[in-house]
Amino acid sequence: MAQMLCQRFQAGQSWRGNDLTAGGYLAADHCAVVALPSERHTNEHVVRHGYAVELRPHGQWFFFHDIAPATAFGRSACMSPECILYGIYRAAHEMLYCAIHEEDERVLHVAGDRIDWIPGEAEHLERFVRGVREEFLNRGDLPPSPTSFRAKSTSSSEPGPAWAAADAFRRGPAIDP
């Protein structure tokens, strides 16, 4: 039997002392880029490469498969007074079914140094926006207008266009690399 993640990593271990609850991670490991685990896709074990975004000062990790949404997320978070710094790192998200605990366990492998001020950042942000726009058009929705996000006084609990737009944003766009 392969070694379980809980046997390889101490629960709550995070190389930057970050809270792991946002991603539901058992641990956040730091390694060299060349030491990232190989990608894998089986029923019990999945390893995906992508990017980890760290938000400070509270220290949370978020994983993205593509640099475009990672860049948009980090840049947007820094516009909030709750976030004073963000960092983007190459990463691997590993999920392995634990036969001991009978549940999936997740570890974030964060590699190398911060790459948040990357060349071509504007192009990544533009690609992200194009992906969001394509998502709306593919669903048959119109892209939201600036007025869609203004608070409306209504007694209806039915979500309006602003909620639909926010829901699509949370799910994330389908972005081609």
Side-chain angles (χ1 to χ4, degrees):
M1 178 165 86
Q3 192 176 27
M4 302 291 107
L5 292 176
C6 63
Q7 294 172 319
R8 292 179 17 216
F9 300 96
Q10 179 182 350
Q13 168 193 341
S14 181
W15 73 281
R16 297 269 291 163
N18 291 7
D19 187 330
L20 303 172
T21 55
Y25 297 109
L26 172 72
D29 179 42
H30 187 251
C31 60
V33 174
V34 294
L36 284 172
S38 299
E39 288 210 7
R40 171 182 282 206
H41 300 277
T42 69
N43 288 339
E44 293 85 23
H45 195 186
V46 177
V47 177
R48 293 182 263 190
H49 285 193
Y51 300 87
V53 178
E54 174 192 31
L55 303 182
R56 286 284 180 173
H58 306 295
Q60 287 282 348
W61 289 111
F62 298 87
F63 178 81
F64 296 87
H65 301 286
D66 189 278
I67 189 71
T71 303
F73 181 80
R75 178 64 70 183
S76 296
C78 257
M79 294 179 176
S80 167
E82 284 82 24
C83 179
I84 59 168
L85 179 69
Y86 75 99
I88 299 175
Y89 300 81
R90 287 184 176 79
H93 174 276
E94 182 174 16
M95 185 172 63
L96 178 64
Y97 179 77
C98 178
I100 299 166
H101 297 109
E102 297 182 342
E103 66 181 9
D104 289 332
E105 292 178 335
R106 300 165 34 153
V107 169
L108 182 64
H109 302 276
V110 183
D113 297 324
R114 273 180 31 187
I115 57 170
D116 53 328
W117 295 103
I118 53 177
E121 182 175 358
E123 288 80 16
H124 293 305
L125 292 170
E126 288 169 3
R127 188 164 55 90
F128 174 77
V129 170
R130 280 194 310 271
V132 170
R133 185 174 188 284
E134 289 170 16
E135 166 92 8
F136 281 110
L137 295 176
N138 288 339
R139 286 186 11 195
D141 295 342
L142 294 174
S145 69
T147 58
S148 298
F149 294 97
R150 290 193 185 129
K152 297 178 182 176
S153 60
T154 177
S155 58
S156 169
S157 61
E158 195 66 26
W163 284 105
D167 182 51
F169 180 76
R170 278 192 294 279
R171 281 196 326 273
I175 298 179
D176 295 327

